[in-house]
């Protein structure tokens, strides 16, 4: 065979042989995990920088020149009965008179309503400078079960606004008791107060999440529509929002937070950087909020009217306030362990929700509850003897 012919044949088989050998080597390396380790070593990491990587007090002023922000403090809420005093305090009086936050506490507060818990949490993470909020009224359970999401806000819990005494309910189309929820489709907004209450209700029936089908809703207020349309067999949501549907289709209330009056606690939560920069602003907001709570408990008429104007979807605003009444200073001090015992403290509620989140969803550990608290405003109010 001529030399030229041999060279031609060799060139023809050399490439397939090389490729075959390469495939064999790659397969062997993959089987022994060598490729995965090499890829991990060679991967270029580009971590995202976030506000949560730095101490929230880094932007705090060096002196007391700046006590409150020159702009309005933006406070986000999901409309509930316990939010009624906030709506009233931020409402201008007759003939354009200043609102109560200005007249009583010399601070401007804008209360912004949200229909979705997720939107409110994200607004707290963004902050007012990026179209979000400075403070938010959040369930303790939501803070615990969304700890990774809220990390960049470095949240600081500053006060208890109220507890649910019947605002959250679980309603079924055909079932008449909790044990009959097995195999049912249950609509609920994930990570909301209604979500946490639904988990408690299911625990009473001895269910796991495999025993029911949870149907995520866009918001708690979507529950009535989903139940009426037959998209779900049961729903967890607000009593006032669901009342018309209950009457229309003859649904049954299987459970309400009246059965667990210390399970859902709504707390006023500030961004860590805002609390560090404007501690006096936080103190004024807390003082005015508790003053408004006390006034609403004494005479709920005006607060109920303000709530009705802000959230007609809650039904009768007076009933909404009864189902989720605002808290007093004494209840605040007990809830945060600063005074007499509370049936359930912030620490206990936070740890319970955090452990449940880890149990159900293999979530990363939440921060310690004491690391989230900024109780300076409540301590000051306690020393001055305010009630």
């Amino acid at each position: 065979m001529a030399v030229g012919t041999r060279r031609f044949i060799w060139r023809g088989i050399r490439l397939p042989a090389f490729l075959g050998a390469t495939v064999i080597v790659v397969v062997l390396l993959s089987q022994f995990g060598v490729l995965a380790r090499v890829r991990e070593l060679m991967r270029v990491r580009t971590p995202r920088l976030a506000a949560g990587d730095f101490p929230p007090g880094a932007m705090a002023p060096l002196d007391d020149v700046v006590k409150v922000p020159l702009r309005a403090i933006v406070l986000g809420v999901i409309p509930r009965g316990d939010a009624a005093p906030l709506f009233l305090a931020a409402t201008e009086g007759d003939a354009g008179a200043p609102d109560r936050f200005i007249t009583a506490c010399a601070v401007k507060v804008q209360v912004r309503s949200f229909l979705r818990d997720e939107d409110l949490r994200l607004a707290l993470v963004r902050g007012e400078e990026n179209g979000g909020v400075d403070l938010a009224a959040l369930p303790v359970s939501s803070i615990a079960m969304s700890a990774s999401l809220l990390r960049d806000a470095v949240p600081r819990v500053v006060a208890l606004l109220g507890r649910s005494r019947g605002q959250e309910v679980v309603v079924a189309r055909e079932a008449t008791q909790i044990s009959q929820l097995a195999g049912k489709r249950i609509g609920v907004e994930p990570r909301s107060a209604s979500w946490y209450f639904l988990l408690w209700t299911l625990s009473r029936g001895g269910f796991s999440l495999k025993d029911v089908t949870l149907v995520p809703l866009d918001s708690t207020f979507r529950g009535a529509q989903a139940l009426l349309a037959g998209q779900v067999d049961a729903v967890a949501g607000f009593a006032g929002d669901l009342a018309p549907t209950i009457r229309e289709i003859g649904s049954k209330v299987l459970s309400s937070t009246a059965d667990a009056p210390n399970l859902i606690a709504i707390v006023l939560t500030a961004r860590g950087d805002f609390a560090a920069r404007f501690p006096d602003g936080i103190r004024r907001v807390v003082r005015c909020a508790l003053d408004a709570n006390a006034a609403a408990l004494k005479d709920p008429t005006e607060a109920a009217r303000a709530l009705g104007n802000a959230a007609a979807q809650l039904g009768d605003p007076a009933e909404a306030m009864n189902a989720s009444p605002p808290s007093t200073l004494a209840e605040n001090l007990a809830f945060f362990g600063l005074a007499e015992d509370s049936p359930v403290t912030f620490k206990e509620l936070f740890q319970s929700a955090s452990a449940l989140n880890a149990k159900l969803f293999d979530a990363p550990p939440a921060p310690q509850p004491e690391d989230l608290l900024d109780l300076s405003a409540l301590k000051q109010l306690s020393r001055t003897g305010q009630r």
Side-chain angles (χ1 to χ4, degrees):
M1 184 180 297
V3 174
T5 302
R6 288 198 299 270
R7 288 178 179 174
F8 178 79
I9 295 174
W10 170 242
R11 288 173 181 172
I13 65 174
R14 183 170 55 184
L15 181 60
F18 175 75
L19 292 176
T22 300
V23 170
I24 294 173
V25 172
V26 169
V27 170
L28 290 175
L29 292 176
S30 178
Q31 289 290 328
F32 290 100
V34 175
L35 284 183
R37 289 193 291 270
V38 171
R39 283 197 299 267
E40 182 66 24
L41 291 173
M42 296 180 64
R43 183 179 300 162
V44 177
R45 299 183 181 274
T46 55
R48 181 180 65 89
L49 297 177
D53 298 326
F54 306 94
M59 295 177 64
L62 296 176
D63 52 37
D64 290 333
V65 174
V66 182
K67 294 185 177 181
V68 297
L70 299 178
R71 58 170 175 80
I73 297 173
V74 182
L75 197 168
V77 302
I78 301 292
R80 306 170 48 91
D82 47 64
L86 295 176
F87 285 116
L88 178 60
T91 301
E92 291 184 356
D94 295 335
D99 60 62
R100 299 188 182 192
F101 275 112
I102 291 179
T103 57
C105 300
V107 63
K108 179 64 176 176
V109 175
Q110 175 191 348
V111 176
R112 185 179 300 171
S113 293
F114 292 79
L115 293 183
R116 303 176 68 237
D117 280 62
E118 181 181 4
D119 290 343
L120 179 54
R121 292 191 295 267
L122 290 175
L124 186 66
V125 172
R126 288 197 303 269
E128 189 276 340
E129 292 83 357
N130 296 305
V133 300
D134 302 306
L135 298 98
L138 293 171
V140 173
S141 58
S142 181
I143 299 173
M145 301 180 89
S146 304
S148 58
L149 171 66
L150 294 173
R151 174 183 177 272
D152 287 348
V154 197
R156 293 293 180 262
V157 175
V158 298
L160 170 69
L161 292 177
R163 288 190 180 94
S164 181
R165 301 286 195 261
Q167 180 126 52
E168 279 74 20
V169 296
V170 176
V171 175
R173 177 180 285 272
E174 297 179 355
T176 58
Q177 52 189 3
I178 295 173
S179 60
Q180 296 174 341
L181 288 175
K184 301 294 185 182
R185 299 165 300 161
I186 308 176
V188 64
E189 182 188 357
R191 300 297 195 276
S192 64
S194 298
W195 163 277
Y196 188 58
F197 175 65
L198 174 61
L199 295 179
W200 179 84
T201 300
L202 293 175
S203 75
R204 293 179 63 198
F207 294 121
S208 74
L209 293 186
K210 293 182 179 180
D211 298 321
V212 298
T213 300
L214 298 186
V215 179
L217 301 179
D218 289 339
S219 74
T220 298
F221 294 105
R222 276 270 293 117
Q225 182 180 348
L227 191 63
L228 191 61
Q231 298 170 344
V232 295
D233 305 304
V235 70
F238 288 156
D241 178 50
L242 289 166
T245 301
I246 293 173
R247 291 191 294 267
E248 182 172 348
I249 65 177
S251 298
K252 171 74 174 179
V253 176
L254 304 184
S255 180
S256 84
T257 45
D259 305 318
N262 296 295
L263 183 70
I264 303 298
I266 308 300
V267 291
L268 187 59
T269 308
R271 285 181 53 85
D273 56 354
F274 184 87
R277 291 179 65 192
F278 305 112
D280 196 50
I282 295 293
R283 286 192 289 270
R284 296 186 192 191
V285 170
V286 171
R287 176 162 62 88
C288 245
L290 292 181
D291 282 346
N293 281 5
L297 289 170
K298 185 176 181 179
D299 183 0
T301 306
E302 291 187 44
R305 185 181 300 113
L307 178 62
N309 292 335
Q313 66 271 21
L314 283 176
D316 187 337
E319 291 183 4
M321 289 185 65
N322 288 332
S324 188
S327 292
T328 64
L329 175 60
E331 290 171 336
N332 266 265
L333 298 178
F335 182 65
F336 292 111
L338 300 177
E340 59 194 41
D341 292 339
S342 173
V344 177
T345 64
F346 171 83
K347 180 178 181 179
E348 292 170 331
L349 196 54
F350 184 90
Q351 289 178 330
S352 172
S354 176
L356 179 61
N357 196 45
K359 175 181 178 180
L360 294 178
F361 308 110
D362 195 27
Q368 294 300 311
E370 53 268 21
D371 293 337
L372 299 175
L373 295 177
D374 180 356
L375 305 179
S376 55
L378 291 177
K379 292 176 181 178
Q380 184 182 52
L381 292 176
S382 177
R383 289 193 297 268
T384 59
Q386 179 177 335
R387 287 294 180 266

